[in-house]
Amino acid sequence: MSWTGVLLLCAGAYALKAAGAFAAGRGGSIASGRLDVLVVPVIAGLIAVPTFGDGKALVVDERAAALLVAALLIWRRAPLLIVALAAAGTAALLG
């Protein structure tokens, strides 16, 4: 890929981000309320699909245990570095 293509993609990403910020600012509290409701399911989907999905099959392996450890540590309000290291260690030990 050329530098021109990379720069165009960066400019497009920043333009989309600026458009989202502008739209959220114009929408006021109604738009931000809708966005708050959507954040949790979107993040949960982004976590669940790579953890439990393998193509078209449902897979429960060491990634599920690592996710459980991470969720427990986040619930206990552990620092993010500890959460990441514990989850990676769990997946490595079981894998």
Side-chain angles (χ1 to χ4, degrees):
M1 178 174 266
S2 68
W3 280 104
T4 306
V6 170
L7 292 174
L8 286 173
L9 287 172
C10 288
Y14 280 114
L16 284 173
K17 189 170 185 170
F22 178 73
R26 287 185 56 155
S29 63
I30 295 172
S32 66
R34 282 190 231 144
L35 290 177
D36 289 344
V37 171
L38 291 175
V39 169
V40 173
V42 168
I43 291 176
L46 289 172
I47 292 170
V49 168
T51 301
F52 298 110
D54 186 27
K56 292 185 178 185
L58 179 66
V59 178
V60 178
D61 55 6
E62 65 273 357
R63 294 176 292 180
L67 181 63
L68 182 65
V69 167
L72 178 68
L73 289 174
I74 287 173
W75 177 64
R76 300 293 300 163
R77 299 188 185 268
L80 186 59
L81 180 61
I82 301 299
V83 172
L85 290 175
T90 301
L93 286 174
L94 296 176

